[in-house]
Amino acid sequence: MIRCSGFRRLTAIAALTSTVISGCDNTTATPPTKQSERWPAVLSESTFVWSAEPGIDLLAQPIVTLRAYFESLVLGETSGSNDYLYPGFDHAVEREKPAEYSHYSLHLWPELGFPKESPEVGSSRLHVLRVADDGQGVTTVMCTWDWGIATQSAEASYQALGSWRGPQTGVGVQRVRLTTSVGSPPPTTRPQSGPSRYPSLDVFDNWRVVGRLSNSAPSDTVGPGTQWPEYQQDLAACVTLAPEPVERRQFLTTGEHPRSDFPTLPSYPGWPLESQ
């Protein structure tokens, strides 16, 4: 689900096994209407499915903030509205790029001018590749795998969002910079997984999003010798880790397909019905 703004699903979005296990939660179910109020209709048949390299915890900070931030971006840009941003987004994300991180080229808030008119179906696959803590903040790098998301182009026909670019077909990479206040209290949120597609409460804790780069950013801001010197290696790693071979990805991103080619997988790890 990462477009011209840096997505196109946010090439505009783990290494998954063939079976995806949905998160579980023992809290009491909330009324069905709550889910529909917080999730745009254009994405009613679309989900996020996350994975990570060994040693990276999807259920704890700072990756919980990365998940909440990225999913909010997709929901906002796809719907053309900030109404679907997750609770806490407004205090965790600067509306303008902070001066000290001006080299990060992409807007931090969703760009709302190009909402989707046709519903998206399928699942965005996202894989956290690495996390680097330099003592002043954390830099995260994530793979975005888009060939499993499509829009209806004709009756009973669907066209994938991912593009055909040789070995990189459907594969993108994002770099997100996060900081937290010195001496911040420990996070108050429990491990963030469950049956909900979105968090009910603020899960950003004291983390702030201060910069973002992607492979759709201008070429003079990405690549060796720039602010992302590991860019080529990171992109190559995302291609290598892609859970489907290039032949399958090229097939899905070319021409028209039936709905069955873009299954909607269970959200993973998902969010608790009440995030607290």
Side-chain angles (χ1 to χ4, degrees), residues 49-237:
V49 180
W50 290 81
S51 61
E53 287 296 282
I56 298 176
D57 189 351
L58 291 173
L59 311 187
Q61 297 290 12
I63 304 306
V64 167
T65 289
L66 176 67
R67 288 168 48 203
Y69 172 65
F70 189 82
E71 292 184 11
S72 291
L73 282 178
V74 173
L75 298 185
E77 294 205 344
T78 304
S79 66
S81 171
N82 285 334
D83 292 345
Y84 298 101
L85 301 181
Y86 291 169
F89 188 97
D90 56 343
H91 74 72
V93 184
E94 293 283 350
R95 286 188 176 270
E96 300 296 333
K97 297 187 293 293
E100 63 268 32
Y101 295 109
S102 59
H103 53 269
Y104 284 85
S105 63
L106 298 178
H107 292 294
L108 301 181
W109 275 65
E111 297 181 31
L112 307 179
F114 304 96
K116 297 289 292 188
E117 296 182 0
S118 299
E120 291 186 2
V121 302
S123 295
S124 292
R125 301 182 181 188
L126 306 106
H127 184 78
V128 184
L129 182 65
R130 58 186 178 89
V131 180
D133 188 339
D134 59 16
Q136 297 180 324
V138 173
T139 298
T140 63
V141 176
M142 56 184 285
C143 307
T144 62
W145 295 325
D146 290 348
W147 62 87
I149 288 285
T151 57
Q152 190 167 2
S153 55
E155 185 176 358
S157 293
Y158 293 80
Q159 193 167 42
L161 291 186
S163 60
W164 186 350
R165 296 175 295 182
Q168 294 175 215
T169 296
V171 176
V173 62
Q174 294 259 332
R175 173 172 160 153
V176 179
R177 177 75 173 174
L178 308 168
T179 62
T180 190
S181 302
V182 176
S184 296
T188 57
T189 51
R190 66 173 183 246
Q192 291 299 298
S193 66
S196 178
R197 285 193 288 187
Y198 60 84
S200 302
L201 303 176
D202 184 351
V203 296
F204 289 92
D205 290 321
N206 296 299
W207 288 89
R208 296 184 64 80
V209 179
V210 297
R212 180 167 67 94
L213 283 172
S214 85
N215 60 331
S216 62
S219 59
D220 61 349
T221 66
V222 174
T226 69
Q227 296 298 334
W228 191 351
E230 311 89 356
Y231 165 70
Q232 294 293 348
Q233 298 96 307
D234 289 339
L235 180 59

